[in-house]
Amino acid sequence: MRRRSTSVVRESVRLLQRVGEYAAACVPFACVAMALFVARDVAASPMPPAAENLRLEDAPDDAGGVLVVFWKTPDPAASAGVVIERSLTAAERAKNANELWIEVERLGRDAVAGVDGSYVLKGVPSDEDTRVRVSILGTDGELSEFVESAPARPEVSLFAFKRLPLLLTVIVVSLSVLVWVALARSGRPLKIRRIAALDAVDEAVGRATEMGRAVLFVPGIQDMNDIQTIAGLTILGRVAQTAAEYDARLEVPTCRSIVMTAAREQVQAAHHAAGRPETYAEGNINYITDEQFGYVAYLSGHMMREKPAACFYMGAFYAESLVLAENGNSIGAIQIAGTAEPSQLPFFVAACDYTLIGEEFFAASAYLSGERDQLGSIKGQDVGKAFAIGAILIGTALATIAALNEGGSLGMWAGSAVASMRGFFGG
Amino acid sequence: MKQRNEQLPPGIRGFLIRMGQIDRRWIYLAVAVAIAAPMLARLRFPEVPGRMAQATFDAIESIPPGSRVLIAYDFDPASAAELEPMANAVLHHCASKGHRIALMALWPLGKQLADDAIRDILLEYHPEKVEGVDYVQLGFKTGNEGVIKLMSTSIAEAYAADASGKPITQIPLLEGVRTIGDFQLIASISAGTPGAQQWVQYGDSAMPDAFKFVAGTTGVQSSQLLPYYPKQMEGMLIAIKGAAEYEMLVTEKYPVTRSADRLALGRERMGPQFVAHLLLIGLIVLGNVSMLAARGWKGAAR
Amino acid sequence: MLQRTIPLLILSASGLILILSYFSPITETWSEQVVSWFNILAGVAFVLGAGNLLAVNLEKISSKRPGWAYSAITLVSFGAMLVVGLSKWGAVPDAKHPDVHLAGSQDSTQAGYGWAYEYVLSPLTATMFALLAFYVASAAFRAFRAKNFEAILLLGTAFIILLVQIAAGAFLTNWIPEDSFFAFLRAESLKAIVTEVFQTAGMRAILIGIALGTAATSLRLILGIDRSALSKG
C-alpha cells in the first residue's frame, strides 16, 4: 500500500516537472504575443481627447442647490459618453478621508453628440465650494484625462427671470382689474350680461317653498384652499338669504370640516341679512365624510329619501357630478350647477337645468353682490381675455404666413416672430 | 312634414312616444345586460393602435435599457377597472425593456394597487427582478401636489425610506437620485387630482426637458389633459381603448410565455365597452325617433 | 371688526406670499410654511367634523327619526375603524422595532385597518364609481335629442366618438384608402379631428376663462374687494 502511494507521488512530480519545462519554453512566445496584442490595442484606440472649456456655474432663477456644468467635446465622433465627478462635501470627507471625488453621473452618447455639453448638478451645498471634473469616454471604453473645474457655489436667486413674462401678464391683468374697479367707483356705467342660472335661484327656492320641500346645496368636495369652494360658498350666501326670506329649509351637507364651519357662518349671516336670525338652524349644515364616494352615497340616499325640490351644486366636482345630477333629475328637482372643472361641465350641462360654466361661476360672486367695485373687476377680467384673444389671433396669423410663405423673407420673418412669441409665453 | 306623422299608424306613434319616456330603470337593466353578457362571454375585438398609444410606447422604448423610470399610481380601486390594464402594461413594458422602476402613489389606495402590480405583473412575468436593484416601491405619500413639488427639489425629503421602511440611501436603484429630474421617464396613471395634470404643472414645469413624461388617464379626464400633448406629455393613454391599443403594442414586442390574462385586461374590457356603446347609440336613436314621432320634423327642427 | 379685519389680513398676507414665492425663489420656503399652516388647521378642524358627525347621528338615533338605523350603522363603523386604526390591531411588526406594537404597519391586509380598506372600502368605492355607467346611459338617452342646430352638432359628435372608440368604427371606415381625399373620414382621423382640434380648442378657451376668473377672484379676495367669504359677524 505504502509502495504504491510512493510511486504515484513520484509519477506526479515527474509530470509536473515536464509541464514546467513546457511552460518555461512557452514564456518567451507568450511575452511576444502579449506585447504585440497590447501594441495593437494602443495603436487602435488612443486615449480620447480631454474635455475643453470646462465651466461650473450657478443655475439661474432657482432656490439654490443647483450648479450647471458646461464643457466642449473636442471630437464628438470619437466619444461615447462622459463621466462627471464632483468633489466630496465636508461632511462626506469627514466620513471618508481617503476619497476626494465621487462619481455623479456617467452619461451616454447623447451627452457628447454635439461639441457643447452640459449637465445639471443638483443637491449642492451652498455654504461650501464645489468642484467637478469631467472625463470623455472613448468609443472603445477608454477614458480621457480628467479636467477639473474652478470651484463654485450655488446661490439663491432673488427673482426668477424666466418667469418674467408671466409676471408681466399678472401685472397687466391685475392692473386692468384695478383700473376698472376705480372706473366703476367713479360712476362709469357698467353693463354686465345677465346670468340665467343666477336669476333662476329665486325661482328654484320659491318652488321648493311652494312644495314644502327642502333646498339642497352641495359646495363641492374640495377644502377651503380651493378657490371653487370659496366661490361656491359666496353663492350659498345668496341662496341662504333667499331661502330665509321665503322660509324654505336649506340643507348643506359638506365633505370637509372647515367648509362646514364656513358654510354655517355664511348661512347665519344670510339669515341676519334677511332679518330672520331666529330661523337659522345650525343642524342643517353638517359634515358627512372626507371620502368622495362615501359623501356621494350619503347625498344619493338623502336625495332619494327627502326629495328636495331644488338642488344646487356649486364648487369643485369630479366623478360624482353625474351621479348627483342624475339622482336630482330622477326626483324632479330644479338643478343649478356651477363648477370650474372642465371635465365635469358636460355632465352638469346634460343633466341640470342651469349650469354656470367656468368663469361665469367665478363672476357669480360679483354679479350677486351688485357692488360696483366687484362688477368693475369682472370688466377688468375681460381686458385679460381680450389680451389672450389678441395674442391667439396674432400668433395664428403669423404661423399661417410662415407656413404659406415657407422659405420666403416674409415667411422667415413670421417664423421668427412666432418663435419669439413662443419664447415669451413659454410655449 | 306634418302629413308624415299622420301617416304613422296611431298605435306605432303612441308606442314610439311611450318609448321616449321609458322608465330609467329599464335603461339601467339594459346597461347591466350589455356589460355583463360580453364580459361573461369574454368577447374580444381586434384593436388598431392609435397615435397616442404609439407615442407612449415609443417614449418608453426610446430611453436606453437600465434607465430609471418612476411610475405614479395616482388612482384608487374606484377607477382601477379603467386604469389598471394600462398600469399593468406600462409596468410590463418598462420591466421587459430593462428599465429600473420606482413605484409611488399620490392616492392612499394607489399604494396597494402598486403592491398588487408588483406581485401580479413584475414578479409573475419577470421573476428575476430584484427588489431595490430593479424595482422599488416608495409607497403612498400624503400632500398631493406638494409631494411632486418636494420631489422636484429633493426626493429624500419626500421619501426618507421606501414602503418597507428601508432608507432610500441604502437602495441601489436610487443611488445618485436626488430629484425627479434624475429619472429618465415618469408615468402617471391618473384618475384625477392629484394626477397627471399636477405632474405637468409642478414636475414638468419645474424642470422642463429633464425627463420624458407620459400619462394614462380616464376617459373623462382626458379632455383636460389633451392640451398638454405632445409638448409636456410625450404620450397619453386614454381609457380602456388606449390601454387595449397599448397592450397590443407591448405584448407584440414583449410576449409572455405564461398566462397573459393580466396583460389582456384592456382588450377584454373593450368587449363590454363595444356592446355598451352600441346600446348607447341605440338609445339615442330611440330617443330621437320618439321625439320626432311626438313633434314631427318641423317641431324637431325649431 | 376683529372678526373681519384679522382674517382679511391673514388672507391677504397668505395670498401675497404664495404669489411672491412663485416669482422669487428666495421666498419659496415661506409659501411652504403657509401651506403647512393650512394643513395643520385642516387637521384640527377634523375634530370638529367628527364631533358633528357624532352629534347629528346620535340625535337621529335618540329621536328615532326615519332612517335612524343608517345612523347606527354609521356610528358603529366609525367607532370600529377608529378603534382598529388607533390600536393598530393586527399591525405587521416593524423590522427595526419588532417589540413596539405601535410602530407596526397597517398597510397589509393582515392588519384590521388594511383589511377593512382592501375588502370593505375598496369594493364600496368601486361600486359607487361603476354606477356612472348607468347614469351616463340614462343621461345620454335624455339629453341627446336633436332639438336645434347646436343639439344636432352635439348629437353628431357623440355618434362619432361612440363609434370610433370601439372596433366598429374601424370596421365601418377601414375600406376608405389611407391616401385618398376622404381619408379624414376614417375612424382614427375622425377621432383625432374631434378630440385634438375641436375639443382641445374649446377646452383651451374654457381653461383661459377659468384661469382669468380664478385670478380676478383671488385678486378681489386678497385686496378685500370681495369679503363674502369672510365672517359677517
Side-chain angles (χ1 to χ4, degrees):
Chain A
M1 183 79 179
R2 181 178 291 169
R3 194 179 300 154
R4 195 175 165 193
S5 64
T6 311
S7 80
V8 167
V9 168
R10 197 179 296 137
E11 282 300 309
S12 300
V13 169
R14 195 175 292 160
L15 188 69
L16 279 174
Q17 277 175 343
R18 185 68 56 85
V19 169
E21 285 162 11
Y22 279 122
C26 287
V27 164
F29 293 106
C31 286
V32 171
M34 198 176 284
L36 283 174
F37 181 79
V38 169
R40 186 212 61 163
D41 206 35
V42 168
S45 65
M47 187 182 274
E52 294 171 359
N53 292 10
L54 180 66
R55 287 180 291 132
L56 183 62
E57 293 178 5
D58 175 43
D61 304 342
D62 65 358
V66 183
L67 293 171
V68 188
V69 188
F70 298 96
W71 71 90
K72 283 193 188 296
T73 309
D75 186 3
S79 309
V82 63
V83 177
I84 298 167
E85 294 186 353
R86 68 165 167 83
S87 56
L88 264 62
T89 62
E92 286 166 341
R93 278 199 302 274
K95 279 186 194 165
N96 192 350
N98 299 327
E99 298 287 336
L100 285 174
W101 299 96
I102 182 167
E103 185 172 313
V104 181
E105 193 75 68
R106 194 171 274 255
L107 300 170
R109 196 175 285 276
D110 287 353
V112 287
V115 174
D116 291 308
S118 67
Y119 175 76
V120 178
L121 185 67
K122 296 162 204 149
V124 184
S126 52
D127 51 352
E128 58 181 288
D129 283 346
T130 298
R131 292 166 192 269
V132 292
R133 61 177 198 170
V134 167
S135 167
I136 303 287
L137 192 65
T139 44
D140 284 350
E142 195 76 12
L143 278 175
S144 76
E145 276 180 28
F146 273 96
V147 180
E148 199 176 315
S149 75
R153 281 185 196 204
E155 285 172 13
V156 184
S157 306
L158 196 62
F159 181 73
F161 281 96
K162 65 181 176 192
R163 289 176 178 161
L164 183 64
L166 185 62
L167 180 65
L168 292 176
T169 314
V170 168
I171 290 171
V172 168
V173 174
S174 304
L175 277 180
S176 63
V177 168
L178 294 176
V179 166
W180 271 99
V181 168
L183 286 174
R185 275 187 189 168
S186 68
R188 189 187 173 97
L190 298 169
K191 188 174 177 295
I192 305 285
R193 78 173 162 84
R194 298 191 73 78
I195 300 177
L198 296 175
D199 292 341
V201 168
D202 291 354
E203 180 199 338
V205 178
R207 183 166 173 262
T209 316
E210 279 171 15
M211 295 173 76
R213 294 206 207 144
V215 174
L216 178 73
F217 190 100
V218 184
I221 63 163
Q222 289 293 334
D223 218 327
M224 284 301 283
N225 57 345
D226 192 310
I227 193 98
Q228 294 186 66
T229 311
I230 295 177
L233 289 181
T234 307
I235 298 170
L236 170 64
R238 164 63 185 263
V239 174
Q241 190 171 335
T242 312
E245 284 163 1
Y246 289 12
D247 204 16
R249 188 157 55 92
L250 172 68
E251 292 173 343
V252 189
T254 70
C255 192
R256 309 282 167 161
S257 310
I258 300 185
V259 178
M260 175 190 77
T261 318
R264 283 180 172 175
E265 295 251 10
Q266 281 285 347
V267 176
Q268 191 176 20
H271 276 257
H272 277 281
R276 315 269 316 258
E278 74 284 357
T279 55
Y280 167 64
E282 193 178 79
N284 288 337
I285 304 157
N286 295 309
Y287 164 76
I288 308 301
T289 169
D290 275 40
E291 181 60 37
Q292 179 187 20
F293 285 109
Y295 183 58
V296 178
Y298 169 84
L299 286 173
S300 303
H302 183 78
M303 284 158 89
M304 297 312 281
R305 287 192 299 273
E306 305 288 326
K307 296 194 168 40
C311 296
F312 293 86
Y313 313 110
M314 300 282 174
F317 291 90
Y318 298 94
E320 66 284 353
S321 61
L322 188 62
V323 179
L324 298 178
E326 269 298 290
N327 272 315
N329 189 284
S330 71
I331 56 168
I334 286 191
Q335 301 196 96
I336 304 176
T339 187
E341 288 300 329
S343 55
Q344 304 307 319
L345 285 169
F347 298 128
F348 279 142
V349 170
C352 292
D353 299 285
Y354 301 95
T355 307
L356 292 165
I357 296 173
E359 60 182 313
E360 280 183 338
F361 177 50
F362 292 119
S365 157
Y367 183 88
L368 288 172
S369 73
E371 291 171 17
R372 295 192 64 80
D373 281 9
Q374 296 209 42
L375 293 175
S377 73
I378 298 181
K379 282 288 193 193
Q381 190 179 319
D382 284 350
V383 175
K385 209 185 287 177
F387 183 66
I389 292 171
I392 289 169
L393 287 178
I394 293 169
T396 312
L398 287 172
T400 309
I401 293 169
L404 290 177
N405 191 9
E406 204 175 353
S409 59
L410 186 66
M412 281 167 70
W413 171 80
S416 63
V418 169
S420 308
M421 278 185 82
R422 279 207 179 126
F424 182 81
F425 290 110
Chain B
M1 286 297 165
K2 203 176 175 188
Q3 288 87 341
R4 185 174 288 188
N5 270 344
E6 282 164 6
Q7 283 169 6
L8 276 177
I12 295 178
R13 184 166 177 258
F15 172 75
L16 286 174
I17 293 172
R18 275 201 308 280
M19 288 307 284
Q21 292 144 3
I22 188 175
D23 190 309
R24 67 186 69 216
R25 280 170 291 190
W26 288 108
I27 298 175
Y28 296 161
L29 183 65
V31 173
V33 173
I35 291 171
M39 204 185 279
L40 295 172
R42 297 176 79 99
L43 268 186
R44 278 195 200 179
F45 300 93
E47 292 298 329
V48 182
R51 205 148 44 89
M52 298 231 185
Q54 188 68 52
T56 310
F57 182 82
D58 292 344
I60 295 176
E61 276 294 296
S62 66
I63 51 172
S67 300
R68 291 192 192 97
V69 173
L70 178 67
I71 305 178
Y73 278 67
D74 302 333
F75 64 103
D76 61 10
S79 41
E82 201 173 0
L83 296 178
E84 199 177 18
M86 61 179 78
N88 287 349
V90 168
L91 188 59
H92 172 63
H93 188 185
C94 292
S96 305
K97 179 79 184 166
H99 298 323
R100 291 176 288 165
I101 308 158
L103 299 99
M104 62 168 283
L106 292 175
W107 290 41
L109 289 179
K111 192 252 167 188
Q112 285 175 12
L113 292 165
D115 280 339
D116 294 348
I118 290 173
R119 186 189 62 222
D120 299 336
I121 303 295
L122 207 59
L123 299 180
E124 175 71 19
Y125 298 121
H126 308 274
E128 74 284 0
K129 299 287 179 192
V130 179
E131 187 177 6
V133 178
D134 300 306
Y135 73 93
V136 60
Q137 160 70 297
L138 292 171
F140 162 70
K141 185 77 191 173
T142 182
N144 302 332
E145 57 270 23
V147 176
I148 304 171
K149 227 176 152 187
L150 207 55
M151 288 175 80
S152 66
T153 51
S154 167
I155 286 181
E157 277 184 45
Y159 286 100
D162 71 357
S164 64
K166 191 173 183 185
I168 65 163
T169 47
Q170 294 172 19
I171 297 170
L173 190 150
L174 296 173
E175 209 171 278
V177 172
R178 281 176 292 278
T179 69
I180 50 172
D182 293 317
F183 285 95
Q184 278 74 49
L185 184 136
I186 295 178
S188 166
I189 313 295
S190 141
T193 308
Q197 196 172 15
Q198 284 63 41
W199 278 104
V200 170
Q201 289 172 342
Y202 299 95
D204 187 74
S205 69
M207 40 184 70
D209 306 326
F211 53 83
K212 292 180 184 231
F213 181 68
V214 296
T217 76
T218 55
V220 169
Q221 208 202 356
S222 63
S223 58
Q224 224 168 321
L225 294 173
L226 272 170
Y228 299 121
Y229 171 83
K231 185 159 172 28
Q232 288 93 339
M233 294 194 309
E234 296 217 2
M236 188 168 150
L237 300 174
I238 302 175
I240 283 292
K241 171 88 173 154
E245 292 171 359
Y246 179 67
E247 269 177 5
M248 288 260 305
L249 289 166
V250 173
T251 48
E252 255 173 38
K253 175 136 195 199
Y254 302 105
V256 286
T257 44
R258 300 172 205 218
S259 158
D261 279 358
R262 289 182 193 280
L263 293 172
L265 290 175
R267 281 164 287 173
E268 204 170 272
R269 287 172 194 179
M270 276 307 286
Q273 182 152 327
F274 184 94
V275 182
H277 276 209
L278 291 184
L279 172 71
L280 274 179
I281 290 172
L283 284 172
I284 294 170
V285 170
L286 179 67
N288 281 281
V289 169
S290 167
M291 187 191 71
L292 291 176
R295 288 188 184 178
W297 278 104
K298 275 189 179 171
R302 262 201 302 272
Chain C
M1 173 69 182
L2 281 181
Q3 273 184 299
R4 297 208 66 163
T5 309
I6 291 179
L8 179 63
L9 283 174
I10 295 174
L11 191 155
S12 302
S14 308
L16 287 173
I17 286 172
L18 286 171
I19 294 172
L20 188 69
S21 70
Y22 188 77
F23 296 106
S24 176
I26 205 166
T27 58
E28 258 179 25
T29 48
W30 301 1
S31 72
E32 282 162 17
Q33 284 293 327
V34 171
V35 175
S36 303
W37 293 346
F38 176 80
N39 289 340
I40 293 166
L41 269 177
V44 174
F46 184 74
V47 178
L48 260 180
N52 177 255
L53 185 85
L54 287 176
V56 169
N57 287 291
L58 283 173
E59 191 272 329
K60 214 169 177 181
I61 295 168
S62 66
S63 60
K64 289 271 171 76
R65 276 164 52 193
W68 64 269
Y70 297 120
S71 291
I73 294 170
T74 304
L75 288 185
V76 169
S77 310
F78 178 75
M81 283 305 280
L82 202 68
V83 170
V84 168
L86 289 179
S87 68
K88 289 207 166 180
W89 184 62
V92 180
D94 182 61
K96 276 189 191 165
H97 310 282
D99 303 333
V100 184
H101 173 67
L102 287 180
S105 160
Q106 303 201 79
D107 289 348
S108 81
T109 50
Q110 291 171 30
Y113 194 79
W115 185 89
Y117 231 105
E118 178 89 11
Y119 297 119
V120 181
L121 187 67
S122 301
L124 284 175
T125 310
T127 306
M128 286 304 294
F129 192 64
L131 285 178
L132 272 180
F134 301 93
Y135 291 133
V136 161
S138 89
F141 177 64
R142 228 183 30 257
F144 289 128
R145 305 256 166 119
K147 291 173 189 160
N148 50 40
F149 179 67
E150 291 89 342
I152 292 171
L153 281 182
L154 192 70
L155 189 63
T157 316
F159 257 87
I160 292 171
I161 293 297
L162 282 170
L163 273 176
V164 301
Q165 278 291 85
I166 53 176
F171 177 75
L172 289 173
T173 61
N174 267 6
W175 58 272
I176 303 173
E178 278 186 57
D179 51 355
S180 75
F181 176 75
F182 294 102
F184 71 92
L185 289 174
R186 287 171 65 92
E188 68 272 17
S189 307
L190 277 177
K191 183 185 171 189
I193 291 169
V194 170
T195 56
E196 291 171 37
V197 179
F198 294 109
Q199 188 185 347
T200 306
M203 199 52 76
R204 280 190 175 146
I206 291 177
L207 282 175
I208 290 171
I210 288 171
L212 286 167
T214 307
T217 306
S218 306
L219 204 63
R220 284 202 297 268
L221 291 167
I222 289 172
L223 299 178
I225 296 171
D226 180 357
R227 301 186 180 200
S228 57
L230 301 172
S231 163
K232 307 286 197 299

